[in-house]
Amino acid sequence: MSRSSLIFKGIAILSLLTVLDILFFGVLMHRKNDVPVCSADDVYHSVVDYIQKNGKSNLEDSLPDICRKPSIDVKIKENLDAAIKNIIQECEKERRTPKVFITYPIVALFSTWASTNDTVKAEIHKNTLRNWASLKPKIQPILFTNDSKEVALANEYGWHTLPIIHEGSGAPVLKTMFKTVIEKYSGSVLYGYANSDILFTDDLVSTLEAVVTYYNDSTPVLVTGRRTNVPNITQEVADSFDNLRAAARDRGELFSTNAEDLFFTNKYFPWSGIIDVVVGRLAYDNWLIAHTRCKLKIDIVDTTDSLLAVHQTTTAGGNWEGFKHPKSKHNYALLQKLKIKVKFENGFTSCAQMASLRNFCGRTVIMKRDSWPADCACV
Ligand SMILES: *[C@@H]1O[C@H](CO)[C@@H](O)[C@H](O)[C@H]1NC(C)=O
Ligand SMILES: *[C@@H]1O[C@H](CO)[C@@H](O)[C@H](O)[C@H]1NC(C)=O
Ligand SMILES: *[C@@H]1O[C@H](CO)[C@@H](O)[C@H](O)[C@H]1NC(C)=O
Ligand SMILES: *[C@@H]1O[C@H](CO)[C@@H](O)[C@H](O)[C@H]1NC(C)=O
């Protein structure tokens, strides 16, 4: 459980964490400078043991000696028991709540890349082709390209392809791709774009199911999240969700809140009013989030806590060459031409009003955040 989840008002979750904190804090009070300190691990192990025994043990007995205070406040055990009961009740309530009916594919998910003779990049694209295809038929992957070789390759992996009909400085315009898939895939529930080097696991589906459950009317929404940079992704890693999770955990690095590599919306998002920013060049991501949140007043959902987005990190440039491309400033120039002023900090993932997380009942849910960094204040 990441500490960032503490910012949520998750009733059951927060109450258990609070109890753990009280317990943890309580035992730390016992610390003396020269004796071994009771670690957080010790406390968590003991609490897990207590929960696994279904409360039929003495909480105090399950703590190692170094963690034991002269006596645990009887209140702590009561609070812990109450928090656990609360979770059980919440899970029961959740189980009984009628589910929103979801049809599949839940998302028409597209990407685009420039064809390349670089063998490393070609391997990355193949990893992406296989990875996204493995989530069919829950999702439908689509590649925007005009290159017949890429079309053939994508089709071989079960992807659909569409031509690039709108460009700026040689890179595809984001809004036009969205409008095209919304029109062509009217049966899909959501529409998404992700960079060509992003790999997912099946938590993509559970996270999007949570989005659809929460936004179950015609309220527009924009979903994004942070990526996890993982170097040296081999085919063996790319082809297994478990391997991807392990690689991300062992050698991945959660990338900064100012880089957004994935966007999902429903069909109610007003794409027509979005300016012609292009993908693969700087600044379009932060502008889109800032504009949506501050000007359109539409919810942004940050999926970082429930959705693993593995970025296949290499030393070479990524999708459409990013900042290394000579036309990297295309989007800045467009904003300047349209006299649009942007405070890019308004478009960081940490500014999202909403976030997804997996709760104790094992379900991914959408929750309101109750605090943001000061820089998120809209200008
Ligand atoms: C790849 O190599 C071929 C043959 O050398 C060349 O014709 C083509 O333009 C190259 N493609 C790219 C994208 O560099
Ligand atoms: C891609 O192909 C479509 C039609 O198939 C065409 O309209 C469009 O201009 C092409 N785009 C580029 C960038 O060549
Ligand atoms: C529909 O969404 C609202 C919040 O937007 C939520 O409170 C409600 O539980 C949802 N309905 C279902 C059936 O999940
Ligand atoms: C990735 O692989 C290269 C060689 O293929 C190696 O030099 C490098 O140390 C590896 N990086 C990591 C983080 O494993």
Side-chain angles (χ1 to χ4, degrees):
M1 168 78 46
S2 82
R3 294 296 294 182
S4 69
S5 303
L6 273 178
I7 57 176
F8 292 98
K9 272 201 199 120
I11 327 103
I13 296 161
L14 199 62
S15 42
L16 182 55
L17 284 177
T18 308
V19 171
L20 288 178
D21 276 353
I22 294 168
L23 192 59
F24 183 39
F25 190 64
V27 291
L28 279 186
M29 296 286 279
H30 192 45
R31 169 183 188 164
K32 299 218 177 64
N33 286 343
D34 48 350
V35 288
V37 177
C38 168
S39 70
D41 279 0
D42 289 331
V43 177
Y44 279 104
H45 277 308
S46 304
V47 174
V48 168
D49 182 60
Y50 177 73
I51 293 171
Q52 275 173 349
K53 288 183 181 139
N54 202 6
K56 285 182 251 164
S57 68
N58 189 329
L59 179 57
E60 196 171 356
D61 287 349
S62 55
L63 288 168
D65 281 347
I66 48 165
C67 290
R68 229 171 282 175
K69 286 202 298 180
S71 70
I72 293 185
D73 186 344
V74 68
K75 251 338 232 176
I76 291 177
K77 182 177 162 21
E78 278 175 22
N79 286 349
L80 182 60
D81 289 354
I84 293 168
K85 273 199 205 101
N86 196 346
I87 291 164
I88 295 167
Q89 277 166 10
E90 283 291 315
C91 295
E92 261 302 297
K93 207 168 88 191
E94 231 176 73
R95 211 172 50 77
R96 284 196 307 262
T97 309
K99 290 203 182 87
V100 167
F101 180 73
I102 300 173
T103 57
Y104 299 90
I106 193 165
V107 63
L109 179 62
F110 61 92
S111 192
T112 177
W113 54 72
S115 59
T116 176
N117 285 340
D118 178 329
T119 52
V120 174
K121 271 192 202 168
E123 277 314 307
I124 285 177
H125 294 160
K126 278 191 191 156
N127 286 343
T128 303
L129 287 168
R130 287 194 315 275
N131 174 262
W132 293 20
S134 73
L135 289 162
K136 283 178 66 177
K138 294 229 160 165
I139 77 160
Q140 177 57 54
I142 301 151
L143 180 66
F144 277 87
T145 181
N146 271 25
D147 187 293
S148 58
K149 280 220 297 272
E150 302 295 331
V151 169
L153 188 66
N155 290 340
E156 200 182 300
Y157 287 95
W159 285 43
H160 294 174
T161 57
L162 287 169
I164 298 168
I165 55 169
H166 192 185
E167 286 187 327
S169 300
V173 173
L174 182 68
K175 115 179 161 189
T176 308
M177 292 190 288
F178 264 102
K179 287 176 68 178
T180 306
V181 289
I182 289 172
E183 191 192 308
K184 294 220 189 281
Y185 293 84
S186 57
S188 182
V189 189
L190 297 171
Y191 302 89
Y193 166 78
N195 281 342
S196 62
D197 43 18
I198 299 291
L199 303 177
F200 295 103
T201 68
D202 42 3
D203 61 24
L204 172 65
V205 176
S206 48
T207 296
L208 295 182
E209 284 170 348
V211 169
V212 172
T213 300
Y214 192 90
Y215 295 92
N216 50 39
D217 53 18
S218 51
T219 308
V221 61
L222 177 60
V223 178
T224 188
R226 286 161 78 181
R227 71 186 204 214
T228 299
N229 284 348
V230 186
N232 297 5
I233 292 277
T234 58
Q235 175 171 344
E236 194 192 352
V237 172
D239 284 355
S240 141
F241 296 154
D242 285 341
N243 290 350
L244 277 173
R245 281 189 267 265
R249 189 184 57 227
D250 297 342
R251 53 199 182 80
E253 191 198 342
L254 189 59
F255 199 52
S256 47
T257 56
N258 67 1
E260 287 113 2
D261 288 44
L262 38 124
F263 300 98
F264 302 90
T265 74
N266 51 20
K267 55 173 75 84
Y268 308 107
F269 187 84
W271 280 108
S272 296
I274 297 298
I275 60 169
D276 293 351
V277 289
V278 299
V279 299
R281 308 275 197 262
L282 296 173
Y284 81 93
D285 48 353
N286 298 142
W287 172 79
L288 180 64
I289 299 295
H291 177 75
T292 301
R293 195 172 65 84
C294 295
K295 299 289 191 296
L296 302 177
K297 312 283 182 204
I298 288 173
D299 278 5
I300 309 290
V301 181
D302 178 2
T303 59
T304 307
D305 280 348
S306 75
L307 170 62
L308 177 62
V310 169
H311 177 256
Q312 307 177 70
T313 300
T314 61
T315 46
N319 190 28
W320 296 100
E321 312 293 342
F323 62 90
K324 289 184 182 158
H325 195 277
K327 299 269 177 60
S328 68
K329 297 221 157 45
H330 175 86
N331 293 323
Y332 286 119
L334 177 67
L335 291 168
Q336 204 166 28
K337 198 177 95 191
L338 298 173
K339 299 196 167 46
I340 297 172
K341 287 215 166 56
V342 197
K343 182 178 166 196
F344 288 102
E345 288 81 0
N346 282 176
F348 291 5
T349 53
S350 46
C351 298
Q353 308 94 317
M354 310 295 290
S356 62
L357 84 164
R358 198 183 303 254
N359 70 12
F360 280 139
C361 312
R363 193 179 289 190
T364 304
V365 292
I366 307 297
M367 307 206 64
K368 259 198 182 72
R369 275 180 168 153
D370 45 354
S371 68
W372 301 268
D375 263 344
C376 294
C378 292
V379 291

